[in-house]
Amino acid sequence: MTTYKSIALRGLAAGAIAGTASALVQLLVTEIPIRAALAVEEARAPAGDGHSHSHGEEGLVSRGVQIAGGMLGVVIVGIAVGLVFATAYALSKRWFADRTPFTRSTAFGVAVFGAVALLPWLKYPANPPAVGDPDTVNYRTALYLGVVVAGLAIVWGASWLASALAAQPHPVRVTAVLLAVVAAVAVVLVAFPTPPDTIPADMPVAVLWQFRLSSLAQLATLHIGLGVVFGLLVDPATRRAKAPVAAL
């Protein structure tokens, strides 16, 4: 049978792969609107100043080093998330036990993406540099984390409800879970306050939404990619472990 150690190692490997893919999306896609937003921020420098605040920071640490450090950070986060993902997968094996490991892992990755990325994005979409008041950082972070916690609670509740309705016909169970999830998401979107920051007039709408959508794509690559890769790694091992048992 598969052990937690083997599952955890596969989670770390899947997290490294998904993190690397997400880092490449950051480099090739998200970096484009970031540079455009930094140009807007630099254009705000007073005439004759010569350098904006962000440009001065870049003088201490070059943009290339910042990009490399950011990509490395994404990979490290991916590895950490991979371990958490593998642990949660191992603890939730009693749910959807009739599904293949790959199907369960992929569905789990999609659910995690919806809880920790898509739901917060719908309420508080990411903003590029040059948007946001530094004085509201802590407040914005608290709101974002609150939505993440609410999203994870929704995923847990949906899993529990699906398990509780296991004896019901499949269409009834799916409909009930979907209605419950939609209702819970609507409550979260309405209950949480609106974003505290306004969008500056000099920030092009195209740059703003290119950054927001690319950030969401980067998170989708990490979480859904993690579910797919982990499923590909754990499914054959699980099938091999069950094969001798089935042969008896």
Side-chain angles (χ1 to χ4, degrees):
M1 61 180 296
T2 55
T3 63
Y4 171 71
K5 180 180 179 180
S6 67
I7 290 177
L9 290 175
R10 285 172 172 81
L12 292 172
I17 294 172
T20 300
S22 182
L24 290 175
V25 173
Q26 176 177 301
L27 174 65
L28 300 176
V29 182
T30 312
E31 180 61 19
I32 297 174
I34 288 179
R35 287 187 177 276
L38 290 174
V40 172
E41 189 174 43
E42 183 145 344
R44 295 175 184 169
D49 185 26
H51 299 280
S52 69
H53 177 66
S54 63
H55 187 74
E57 289 179 345
E58 186 174 334
L60 298 176
V61 180
S62 69
R63 184 62 190 153
V65 172
Q66 292 177 12
I67 294 173
M71 293 178 65
L72 178 61
V74 171
V75 175
I76 293 174
V77 169
I79 294 173
V81 172
L83 180 59
V84 175
F85 184 93
T87 302
Y89 176 88
L91 293 174
S92 64
K93 292 178 71 173
R94 64 185 180 87
W95 288 330
F96 307 107
D98 57 330
R99 305 295 182 180
T100 65
F102 176 79
T103 301
R104 288 177 52 235
S105 177
T106 302
F108 194 23
V110 172
V112 171
F113 165 71
V116 306
L118 181 58
L119 180 58
W121 186 87
L122 291 173
K123 186 64 182 182
Y124 304 116
N127 288 322
V131 176
D133 184 353
D135 294 335
T136 64
V137 169
N138 292 335
Y139 178 57
R140 282 182 281 135
T141 301
L143 291 177
Y144 187 89
L145 292 178
V147 176
V148 169
V149 172
L152 291 174
I154 291 173
V155 170
W156 181 87
S159 300
W160 176 86
L161 181 60
S163 180
L165 297 176
Q168 300 298 322
H170 183 70
V172 174
R173 180 173 54 175
V174 171
T175 301
V177 171
L178 286 178
L179 289 176
V181 168
V182 170
V185 168
V187 169
V188 171
L189 294 179
V190 172
F192 276 78
T194 57
D197 294 329
T198 58
I199 306 301
D202 60 350
M203 173 58 62
V205 175
V207 172
L208 176 68
W209 280 101
Q210 185 180 9
F211 176 82
R212 288 177 171 179
L213 292 174
S214 61
S215 297
L216 185 63
Q218 185 177 337
L219 292 172
T221 302
L222 175 62
H223 296 292
I224 299 179
L226 173 60
V228 171
V229 175
F230 181 79
L232 291 173
L233 293 177
V234 77
D235 193 291
T238 303
R239 292 180 185 276
R240 285 196 303 268
K242 290 183 177 179
V245 178
L248 295 178

